[in-house]
Amino acid sequence: MVELKVDQDKCLGCGNCVVSCPVNGSISPEVAGGHGPKSEDVIMMVENGLIKLFNQDKCEKCGTCPLFCPTDAIYLE
């Protein structure tokens, strides 16, 4: 089974993955504008300078978030 993973040692906390995720954008529309989500219903968000995964079950495994990660910290495995 494919799962979304984050290597916290590589994560810069830039939030590119949060903003690029189409599911995050549909759950919390402000994300599409580059703002942080207002709800923990999203798949992931920046918390304390790192990406934290909240609802992996909502992830559609589309592969968008890894494309926007400058350090390859987020990936599907």
Side-chain angles (χ1 to χ4, degrees):
M1 183 172 146
V2 176
E3 276 189 60
L4 189 63
K5 303 273 187 170
V6 177
D7 182 339
Q8 298 294 359
D9 292 332
K10 291 182 178 180
C11 182
L12 302 175
C14 68
N16 286 356
C17 56
V18 176
V19 174
S20 68
C21 174
V23 176
N24 272 1
S26 68
I27 293 169
S28 193
E30 61 278 358
V31 168
H35 302 287
K38 294 183 176 166
S39 161
E40 290 185 0
D41 291 336
V42 293
I43 296 170
M44 69 198 97
M45 70 170 67
V46 178
E47 188 172 89
N48 298 321
L50 296 171
I51 292 301
K52 182 174 178 187
L53 300 176
F54 285 92
N55 297 292
Q56 288 194 57
D57 57 312
K58 294 181 181 181
C59 178
E60 295 177 356
K61 290 33 170 210
C62 69
T64 300
C65 56
L67 294 175
F68 288 88
C69 182
T71 62
D72 298 322
I74 194 162
Y75 55 96
L76 293 168
E77 180 178 86

